[in-house]
Amino acid sequence: MTSIEHNLQQVHQRISAAAAQCGRDPQEIELLAVSKTKPASAVEEAVAAGQRSFGENYVQEGVDKIQLLANSALTWHFIGPLQSNKSRLVAEHFDWCHTVDRLRIASRLNEQRPDDLAPLNVLIQVNISDEQSKSGIRLADLPALAQQIADLPRLRLRGLMAIPAPEADYARQLAVCQLMAEAFKQLQQDYPGVDTLSLGMSDDMDAAIAAGSTMVRIGTAIFGARDYGHAAVHHNN
């Protein structure tokens, strides 16, 4: 068994344990393997171990891997901040974009999504901790943006994503995750196609699952410590 295969098993066990603690079915929670800065060979190891969904933070690095692996069974999620000048690459190559937080980006993705591809699945990024430096909209602005995205034919609104501020205390993690879960439930009432709450990483995964996350984003626990060496050329996004 490879170390990546072993790590994936451990992460799945952790998801199952967290789900059991709050009475949820672990099948409701998708594991998104965050493969940023990792070589395509590491992704291939994860694929061999059964992983199918991968998250990338840097546009060009992600596109390089998507083209190199050329595996239609894989689902690629763009989860990094998206600059307008890189939106075309995301629209043309990725299956999901988690970081839509303004109409301008949504409109560009809609215009640039090729007609021969299924609509791009999008999540609205919410700045749930109101951090000045973070991307994402305020909860108060969510209804208007959701309506605008729902009207774009080449996009499919699937739900919400957040990166809560780091918080060591579980109760405080849970409180923030529950705020997101409430917003998600409200969105589901308004838009029947909404089914995804991308919330929770290694440090707050248990709280996110308890609150109702349907997708957790895990990188280091699967692939090991980040290697920023080989991917440095792509860090302009």
Side-chain angles (χ1 to χ4, degrees):
M1 182 185 294
T2 68
S3 60
I4 287 176
E5 184 178 8
H6 174 71
N7 291 347
L8 276 165
Q9 286 188 2
Q10 288 198 310
V11 172
H12 278 295
Q13 286 168 3
R14 194 177 152 200
I15 290 171
S16 294
Q21 277 214 295
C22 58
R24 292 184 64 196
D25 179 353
Q27 298 297 318
E28 294 174 7
I29 303 142
E30 182 173 0
L31 172 58
L32 182 61
V34 179
S35 45
K36 67 174 179 181
T37 79
K38 296 299 168 190
S41 58
V43 174
E44 286 177 316
E45 277 188 52
V47 172
Q51 180 64 26
R52 294 292 178 267
S53 300
F54 295 91
E56 290 285 332
N57 288 58
Y58 308 109
V59 177
Q60 190 59 57
E61 182 195 335
V63 170
D64 289 348
K65 281 180 211 166
I66 291 167
Q67 293 179 325
L68 190 64
L69 294 170
N71 184 339
S72 61
L74 306 184
T75 305
W76 292 92
H77 298 243
F78 184 71
I79 61 173
L82 182 54
Q83 299 164 355
S84 295
N85 65 340
K86 297 291 176 74
S87 63
R88 181 176 295 279
L89 285 171
V90 171
E92 291 179 348
H93 295 280
F94 283 84
D95 303 295
W96 288 70
C97 182
H98 287 221
T99 50
V100 176
D101 62 359
R102 56 200 186 277
L103 178 59
R104 181 163 172 247
I105 281 286
S107 298
R108 286 179 69 91
L109 290 169
N110 179 66
E111 289 162 13
Q112 295 165 342
R113 183 69 169 174
D115 286 340
D116 61 329
L117 295 181
L120 179 68
N121 298 295
V122 301
L123 301 179
I124 295 174
Q125 183 173 355
V126 177
N127 186 351
I128 194 63
S129 303
D130 275 335
E131 293 179 277
Q132 293 298 315
S133 61
K134 287 278 173 73
S135 304
I137 62 166
R138 297 176 309 139
L139 277 178
D141 299 325
L142 177 57
L145 183 58
Q147 180 61 63
Q148 291 165 331
I149 290 173
D151 289 340
L152 296 172
R154 307 300 303 150
L155 303 184
R156 182 174 292 144
L157 178 61
R158 294 291 294 272
L160 302 177
M161 182 274 254
I163 309 170
E167 180 61 71
D169 180 65
Y170 176 83
R172 290 174 67 158
Q173 287 180 352
L174 184 61
V176 172
C177 289
Q178 284 173 332
L179 272 181
M180 278 301 300
E182 286 163 20
F184 175 60
K185 285 178 191 149
Q186 181 59 53
L187 197 66
Q188 283 185 303
Q189 289 178 3
D190 297 335
Y191 302 96
V194 164
D195 59 5
T196 302
L197 177 58
S198 172
L199 182 68
M201 298 186 281
S202 290
D203 293 338
D204 62 352
M205 184 177 88
D206 292 11
I209 289 172
S213 170
T214 70
M215 183 181 288
V216 292
R217 309 181 303 270
I218 307 293
T220 307
I222 296 170
F223 295 107
R226 291 168 192 159
D227 170 17
Y228 280 113
H230 85 281
V233 292
H234 297 318
H235 279 215
N236 60 359
N237 208 36

